């Protein structure tokens, strides 16, 4: 594991890490981010959200590195809009996932060209759109809408059904497709070669920073590869047990300002070494 003084980039998950529900970035976390930027360390966001949803957080935090969206399917500059990576779920598995949702009576979203598509106006769909603060495009047939593929598909359901749905879907739509959980109510389907860890490597490459000199902070199953790939992987204290087991550091929960705790530990480590 690298020394704290070696870290040059911090990648932070959004939901459950920087924000939670309708609760935004806390004052202590904002101060810590200001302090880490003053120390010459750059920050970025690594989220399952759409680019258009994540970009407002990037603007708020003055992020200038590319941000990681759609579980790593998209790596795009929040300032210029330049795309550094975009991996699309192919037509056949995208259609198979839509049919699976119909058979199970599940709500499903598709994402095409950073637009949110739904087939039906459901409470689950409205919950997703409100939490992401993005408009909905309704179509008569979602299977037709994904003819050219989809960046990802999201199934929205009650919290107690999500892990079973992930287990049921993982590998069902072909060996090149994976399912994961990004939120207590969201199960997501993306390409198997897509994750936040490989996307972090892409961001580090763009910034000309070795991957070992990065820190990744997250809480949910979709953050597992981020935590594993980063030089210092940090798990929120109330995160998924698999993320906690993979982490180099465990910090507090959102309510405990866990991101700030991790940054403060990092800065204290740098000061100790420099002193």
């Amino acid at each position: 594991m690298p020394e704290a003084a070696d870290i040059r980039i911090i990648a932070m998950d959004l939901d459950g890490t920087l924000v939670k529900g309708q609760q935004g970035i806390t004052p202590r976390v904002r101060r810590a981010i200001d302090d880490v930027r003053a120390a010459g360390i750059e920050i970025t966001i690594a989220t399952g959200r759409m680019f258009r949803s994540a970009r407002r957080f990037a603007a708020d935090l003055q992020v200038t590195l590319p941000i990681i969206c759609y579980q790593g399917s998209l790596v795009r500059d929040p300032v210029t809009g330049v795309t550094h990576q975009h991996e699309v779920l192919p037509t056949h598995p995208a259609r198979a996932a839509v049919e699976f949702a119909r058979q199970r009576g599940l709500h499903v979203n598709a994402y095409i060209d950073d637009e949110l598509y739904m087939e039906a106006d459901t409470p689950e769909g409205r919950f997703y759109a409100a939490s992401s603060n993005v408009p909905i495009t309704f179509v008569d047939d979602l299977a037709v809408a994904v003819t050219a593929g989809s960046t990802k598909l999201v199934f929205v359901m009650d919290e107690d059904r999500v892990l079973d749905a992930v287990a049921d879907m993982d590998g069902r739509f072909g060996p090149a497709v994976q399912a994961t959980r990004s939120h207590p109510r969201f199960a997501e389907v993306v390409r198997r070669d897509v994750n936040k860890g490989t996307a972090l490597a892409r961001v580090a490459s763009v910034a000309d920073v070795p991957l070992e000199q990065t820190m990744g902070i997250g809480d949910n199953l979709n953050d597992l590869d981020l935590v594993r790939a980063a030089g210092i992987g940090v798990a929120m204290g109330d995160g998924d047990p698999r993320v906690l087991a993979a982490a180099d550091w465990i910090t507090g929960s959102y309510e405990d300002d866990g991101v700030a705790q991790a940054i403060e530990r990092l800065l204290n480590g740098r000061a100790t070494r420099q002193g």
Side-chain angles (χ1 to χ4, degrees):
M1 184 175 67
E3 296 286 343
D6 297 326
I7 299 302
R8 296 169 58 190
I9 293 174
I10 302 176
M12 298 168 284
D13 169 52
L14 278 177
D15 296 287
T17 301
L18 275 174
V19 300
K20 193 167 188 178
Q22 298 303 312
Q23 302 174 81
I25 301 167
T26 68
R28 183 180 173 187
V29 170
R30 286 187 181 277
R31 288 194 299 271
I33 290 173
D34 288 341
D35 290 343
V36 85
R37 185 181 285 113
I41 300 170
E42 296 188 86
I43 65 166
T44 191
I45 290 168
T47 181
R49 291 191 187 219
M50 305 167 67
F51 176 75
R52 67 190 300 170
S53 177
R55 192 177 199 176
R56 59 191 174 91
F57 292 97
D60 180 38
L61 294 173
Q62 301 176 48
V63 175
T64 56
L65 286 178
I67 61 175
I68 297 165
C69 306
Y70 294 104
Q71 311 304 1
S73 296
L74 181 69
V75 177
R76 182 174 286 172
D77 190 303
V79 179
T80 66
V82 170
T83 298
H84 297 279
Q85 175 176 299
H86 188 199
E87 304 292 346
V88 176
L89 192 66
T91 303
H92 177 73
R95 284 180 164 174
V98 171
E99 184 57 32
F100 175 88
R102 289 171 176 167
Q103 292 172 356
R104 299 297 199 280
L106 297 173
H107 175 91
V108 63
N109 303 333
Y111 303 81
I112 305 163
D113 296 329
D114 209 37
E115 297 285 344
L116 170 62
Y117 287 80
M118 298 181 191
E119 193 174 83
D121 185 6
T122 67
E124 292 84 1
R126 290 193 294 274
F127 170 81
Y128 180 91
S131 64
S132 299
N133 194 27
V134 293
I136 305 168
T137 298
F138 288 104
V139 294
D140 293 332
D141 190 339
L142 204 57
V144 173
V146 299
T147 296
S150 178
T151 304
K152 71 172 183 178
L153 291 158
V154 174
F155 298 75
V156 184
M157 63 197 80
D158 291 338
E159 187 172 338
D160 59 359
R161 300 178 65 188
V162 172
L163 286 178
D164 287 342
V166 168
D168 196 12
M169 289 189 290
D170 197 37
R172 173 180 288 272
F173 312 123
V177 180
Q178 65 170 319
T180 189
R181 181 180 67 173
S182 62
H183 177 280
R185 294 189 62 186
F186 303 160
E188 308 205 359
V189 173
V190 293
R191 289 169 53 131
R192 189 165 294 279
D193 56 358
V194 160
N195 62 69
K196 293 184 182 183
T198 56
L200 176 60
R202 181 63 175 151
V203 172
S205 175
V206 170
D208 197 25
V209 170
L211 184 58
E212 302 79 49
Q213 295 184 343
T214 65
M215 172 184 276
I217 309 176
D219 72 310
N220 222 322
L221 184 57
N222 65 322
D223 298 311
L224 181 58
D225 291 291
L226 174 71
V227 169
R228 284 174 171 168
I232 297 177
V234 183
M236 303 293 283
D238 57 350
D240 186 287
R242 287 160 287 190
V243 180
L244 293 170
D248 299 302
W249 295 358
I250 296 175
T251 190
S253 66
Y254 169 87
E255 289 77 10
D256 298 324
D257 294 313
V259 169
Q261 289 183 32
I263 290 175
E264 289 160 5
R265 178 176 174 180
L266 178 72
L267 293 176
N268 287 337
R270 288 168 66 90
T272 299
R273 179 168 169 179
Q274 291 168 357

